């Protein structure tokens, strides 16, 4: 699990890309690891949604593609866009942005952020209770 607070890293991403509202680092099973731009309840809700979307995309990859590698999930809403991508072993990055956001720039910034700190972003799998 991430041992340091990486909210500053997410804050930098949100500040660098115009129309980006919030960013969230989460474990692949939906636990919030760090967030910027949202309260705890919203972060928990987005973490559950992002984890579910990522899981569905992996399932689609297994069934209809050559594997379960997911590069990025983009969900277009009426006034927002949600991006979800892998961010290290067992970790995901979710970003909410307005529809006005420059999608290629945001995707690039997300990729560069993950590449630069990937070793710090891993999340160990949870162990069953009592082990």
């Amino acid at each position: 699990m991430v041992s340091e607070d990486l909210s500053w890293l997410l804050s930098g991403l949100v500040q660098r890309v115009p129309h980006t509202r919030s960013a969230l680092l989460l474990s692949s099973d939906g636990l919030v690891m760090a967030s910027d731009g949202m309260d705890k309840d919203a972060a928990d809700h987005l973490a559950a949604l992002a984890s579910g979307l990522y899981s569905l995309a992996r399932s689609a990859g297994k069934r209809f593609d050559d594997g379960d590698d997911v590069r990025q999930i983009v969900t277009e809403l009426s006034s927002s866009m949600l991006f979800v991508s892998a961010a290290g072993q067992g970790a995901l990055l979710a970003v909410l942005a307005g529809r006005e956001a420059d999608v290629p720039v945001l995707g690039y910034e997300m990729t560069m952020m993950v590449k630069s700190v990937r070793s710090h972003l891993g999340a160990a799998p949870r162990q069953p209770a009592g082990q």
Side-chain angles (χ1 to χ4, degrees):
M1 188 64 88
V2 174
S3 60
E4 58 188 286
D5 180 18
L6 296 175
S7 297
W8 63 271
L9 189 64
L10 300 175
S11 177
L13 174 69
V14 170
Q15 292 172 5
R16 274 192 310 280
V17 183
H19 306 289
T20 302
R21 297 182 188 149
S22 54
L24 177 69
L25 182 64
L26 61 136
S27 64
S28 59
D29 59 356
L31 297 176
V32 175
M33 296 161 59
S35 68
D36 181 74
M38 61 181 58
D39 63 34
K40 182 180 178 346
D41 287 340
D44 286 341
H45 192 163
L46 182 58
L49 291 169
S51 174
L53 286 172
Y54 193 80
S55 179
L56 288 170
R58 286 189 64 194
S59 179
K62 285 179 184 176
R63 178 69 170 97
F64 301 109
D65 198 33
D66 294 331
D68 63 355
D69 289 341
V70 177
R71 292 184 183 182
Q72 188 174 58
I73 300 154
V74 180
T75 304
E76 294 185 43
L77 305 168
S78 60
S79 63
S80 303
M81 299 183 74
L82 170 60
F83 299 80
V84 180
S85 63
Q89 184 65 34
L92 303 174
L93 173 64
V95 176
L96 275 172
R99 299 272 314 207
E100 309 84 10
D102 188 331
V103 172
V105 170
L106 181 53
Y108 173 80
E109 289 290 340
M110 288 174 68
T111 300
M112 291 298 100
M113 186 194 86
V114 168
K115 281 184 178 181
S116 67
V117 295
R118 185 176 297 271
S119 63
H120 299 283
L121 298 180
R126 288 190 284 169
Q127 299 296 319
Q131 288 190 357

